[in-house]
Amino acid sequence: MGAGPEPARRPPLALPRAVPGWGESVDEQWPDAATVVDHVGVPHLVVTRHALVRQVLTDPVTFRPDNALDAVTPLPVAALRVLAGHRFRLPPTLANNGGASHPEIRGIVADALHPHRVAAQRQWLTGLVRERVAALAAELDAGRPVDLYAGLAADLPLLVLARLVELPDAPVGAVKDFARAALELFWAPLDSARQLALAAEVGRFHTVLREFAATGGGLAARLRDAGHSPDVVVGALFFLLVAGQETTSQFLTLLLHRLAGEPAVRAGLRAGTVAVDDVVEEGLRLEPPIVTWRRVAAADTMLGELPVAAGTSVVAWLARAGRDPAVVGAPGEFRPGQPGSRRHLAFGAGPHRCVGAQLARMEAAVVVAEATALLDGVTVVRPPWCPDNLTFRMPDAFVVRRA
């Protein structure tokens, strides 16, 4: 390719990721694109500017999704053998599918999560959240601390998803453990012993998914009837259980934590001067559960004015794009309804945009409307802690008590 500006180079360090200090990292001075070397020595082009991130996500021909589910830490032979023993496979299905089959598979999944079907769950979910909020409020009033992750947010999205999509008959805890194990196995820097343990956990539940994919109704049956292979059915269920509920429970926890430190926003919600939906969108902009997503350049190309060589791993920094001052006037401040707030890329963009976006928004709106009052007069005992992960923040607890 002809000469052109080179992407800025950062010294070898870990990629922008969901460590406890990721908020400081996302607000640092970064160029539009920077070459960063990860923990195993692989270089990646990290794209930070909103317009360039959107360009990457909306052009799946030039920037293919083939590497979206590749393990950040290459899996050792022992872990691969464990997965193979469970017949674990993730063929191109949804997030990693740049082929001709993607629109049809996505359409079948999207129909299961149709906005009309999602809206029909709102009344039931509101009742459940009110019950939980009342129980949590009683605990707080009695002087006891409560964990708003475990007691409110952790399983809500899974319970809603199970009302929309027929899922394997498995305990909620087992599904949650599997989903978190998958997010760690494929997107975290790990040692081989941890990879082996996670491979065993993911593999065991993958066997459950495979059995259900062969006989289950609902979405699984529709995919089978459309002629898709058992591996594709399993892959769709796998991604739905990981991305369709775990990320939403993460977001609910992160949003509640953010609101705990925003008394003016809570006062506006009480007074009706701040809209619930605006709070949700500003939360998605500033506290997205998915901070990055990956693509690979299919050919030599240009990204803005930067040349990008074929085969380059491109990391689209979604969280940073949401704080681009070219898009929003007060990028680091929680101002529901401010111009540009809804232009965030928390759900991605283009043909792979999150198919469950409306479901996540509905769930978050219910929680904001019904649970924000719990945060009045509390002190944070334990803020959410997020483990080291390239893409997912994965908070584990949010403990508060009456001040």
Side-chain angles (χ1 to χ4, degrees), residues 7-384:
R9 280 199 166 267
R10 303 278 289 193
L13 45 72
L15 287 170
R17 54 196 181 183
V19 294
W22 84 273
E24 290 72 34
S25 176
V26 81
D27 284 326
E28 288 179 359
Q29 291 296 316
W30 278 77
D32 292 350
T35 298
V36 176
V37 178
D38 69 13
H39 65 292
V40 293
V42 176
H44 306 264
L45 182 65
V46 179
V47 183
T48 68
R49 184 177 156 201
H50 184 281
L52 297 183
V53 170
R54 185 173 179 80
Q55 179 184 339
V56 169
L57 297 177
T58 56
D59 183 359
V61 175
T62 306
F63 300 99
R64 292 186 57 82
D66 303 6
N67 63 342
L69 305 187
D70 289 354
V72 169
T73 306
L75 297 174
V77 172
L80 290 172
R81 285 175 176 163
V82 168
L83 292 173
H86 291 283
R87 298 170 61 200
F88 181 92
R89 287 184 289 274
L90 285 180
T93 304
L94 288 169
N96 62 338
N97 189 355
S101 65
H102 177 255
E104 182 182 72
I105 297 171
R106 178 184 170 88
I108 294 172
V109 175
D111 185 63
L113 304 180
H114 192 279
H116 292 317
R117 302 191 69 220
V118 167
Q121 302 304 318
R122 191 175 192 122
Q123 183 176 359
W124 171 84
L125 179 61
T126 299
L128 177 58
V129 172
R130 284 178 179 171
E131 289 177 10
R132 293 188 174 188
V133 167
L136 291 165
E139 291 291 298
L140 289 169
D141 292 343
R144 289 184 286 268
V146 298
D147 182 350
L148 296 181
Y149 169 73
L152 177 61
D155 64 344
L156 273 183
L158 178 59
L159 296 177
V160 178
L161 183 65
R163 292 171 63 89
L164 293 167
V165 179
E166 187 174 335
L167 298 174
D169 184 15
V172 168
V175 179
K176 298 294 293 184
D177 288 346
F178 151 73
R180 291 180 72 90
L183 295 184
E184 186 179 355
L185 180 62
F186 290 102
W187 284 278
L190 301 168
D191 60 36
S192 57
R194 183 61 178 162
Q195 287 175 301
L196 194 59
L198 291 169
E201 185 163 0
V202 170
R204 282 193 297 270
F205 199 85
H206 194 268
T207 299
V208 174
L209 287 181
R210 184 167 291 281
E211 293 170 353
F212 177 78
T215 60
L219 176 63
R222 288 194 292 274
L223 287 167
R224 289 196 309 269
D225 292 345
H228 294 289
S229 71
D231 285 346
V232 166
V233 180
V234 174
L237 293 170
F238 177 96
F239 194 74
L240 194 62
L241 283 177
V242 171
Q245 58 86 25
E246 184 60 34
T247 54
T248 306
S249 67
Q250 293 171 24
F251 174 57
L252 298 178
T253 306
L254 296 165
L255 179 56
L256 288 171
H257 177 243
R258 181 73 189 220
L259 287 172
E262 301 286 348
V265 175
R266 299 201 310 272
L269 283 167
R270 286 195 303 272
T273 57
V274 172
V276 168
D277 289 348
D278 287 343
V279 170
V280 172
E281 296 305 319
E282 190 74 336
L284 288 164
R285 184 182 73 82
L286 282 173
E287 302 291 345
I290 301 175
V291 292
T292 67
W293 206 246
R294 286 175 291 170
R295 291 288 186 265
V296 60
D300 291 349
T301 188
M302 299 293 293
L303 188 55
E305 297 181 353
L306 296 173
V308 180
T312 297
S313 170
V314 179
V315 176
W317 197 353
L318 308 179
R320 175 75 181 194
R323 297 175 181 230
D324 189 337
V327 173
V328 62
E333 299 179 22
F334 198 97
R335 295 188 183 180
Q338 69 168 310
S341 176
R342 292 173 180 259
R343 292 181 61 193
H344 62 78
L345 297 173
F347 294 119
H352 285 85
R353 186 177 182 277
C354 176
V355 73
Q358 290 306 109
L359 176 59
R361 283 185 165 112
M362 185 274 287
E363 292 166 342
V366 169
V367 168
V368 168
E370 302 296 332
T372 301
L374 283 175
L375 303 172
D376 292 335
V378 304
T379 183
V380 175
V381 176
R382 187 181 186 283

